[in-house]
Amino acid sequence: MVLKTLQILKQVAASLAQQFGPNCEIVIHDLRSKDLNQSIVHIENGHVSNRKVGDGPSEVVLKAMKTDGEVPEDRSGYLTTTTDGKVLKSSTIYIKDDEGKPEYIFAINFDISTLLAAQNALENLTSAPKTERPPEISHNVSELLDQLLEQSVALVGKPVALMNKDDKVAAIKFLNDAGAFLITHSGDRVANYFGISKFTLYSYIGSSK
């Protein structure tokens, strides 16, 4: 049944990519895999974000896996950016098993960079909820962790060297909520980044819940 589901998703992905052309990227993430470094199992028009099969997750995938039992909701028409500056209009659909647990993510990323120049005429097509910082699509989990660390510092509003204990607890709470600690060996990197021991890191994680 699982293989049949994946095959159907691949067929839909191929059809959508053909329908909307080379600016439409379709990505399938396998949430059943324990290896976050290789969550992408299928991609159409990967040149849009410069990703390929075997690459790691985006922020949305980490958050989907860090649900603590809650079923994530589908999202449509939100903005993301690529590392080379493209603006994408994205939709994320969670494919669930019979018990309601997400098994796959079916993501659509349409490059609207050229359309933005004609936004007034194409407003209905390009409009999306505005956010302070559209999430960036990374190529691998190392880049993703770097992005999350930068976001945690921006959230606190001061450099790590000037952070006190409460600041670091707040930053680490953000990382934990974002699913950063699902990334292999992230604990060591986060501890080094904030200049604390692994023991202190785990105590901060516990106190931030």
Side-chain angles (χ1 to χ4, degrees), residues 33-48:
S33 173
K34 299 301 182 182
D35 185 3
L36 277 178
N37 295 298
Q38 299 180 354
S39 67
I40 295 179
V41 293
H42 185 77
I43 190 165
E44 300 280 347
N45 294 326
H47 61 271
V48 171

Side-chain angles (χ1 to χ4, degrees), residues 64-200:
M65 299 187 74
K66 187 67 172 58
T67 56
D68 295 327
E70 297 181 7
V71 179
E73 296 182 356
D74 296 344
R75 295 182 63 193
S76 300
Y78 62 96
L79 296 183
T80 54
T81 61
T82 64
T83 54
D84 58 359
K86 295 173 186 171
V87 179
L88 312 179
K89 189 171 184 180
S90 302
S91 293
T92 303
I93 303 168
Y94 297 94
I95 311 301
K96 307 176 182 68
D97 62 17
D98 293 338
E99 298 178 353
K101 182 179 179 181
E103 287 188 316
Y104 299 99
I105 285 180
F106 189 90
I108 305 171
N109 302 307
F110 194 93
D111 183 0
I112 61 170
S113 302
T114 56
L115 296 177
L116 289 176
Q119 187 169 8
N120 289 338
L122 300 170
E123 183 176 358
N124 289 335
L125 177 61
T126 60
S127 62
K130 295 184 181 297
T131 59
E132 292 184 2
R133 187 200 65 85
E136 185 176 285
I137 294 176
S138 58
H139 290 189
N140 54 59
V141 290
S142 180
E143 288 182 4
L144 177 55
L145 183 56
D146 288 339
Q147 293 169 14
L148 292 174
L149 286 168
E150 291 175 3
Q151 292 174 43
S152 71
V153 172
L155 175 70
V156 173
K158 63 177 70 171
V160 174
L162 299 180
M163 287 186 186
N164 57 30
K165 176 183 177 181
D166 290 340
D167 296 329
K168 292 180 180 180
V169 169
I172 289 168
K173 181 181 187 303
F174 166 82
L175 293 172
N176 187 43
D177 291 343
F181 297 110
L182 294 173
I183 298 173
T184 305
H185 304 309
S186 59
D188 292 326
R189 287 186 59 188
V190 173
N192 290 334
Y193 187 85
F194 288 101
I196 58 179
S197 67
K198 288 283 290 293
F199 176 81
T200 301

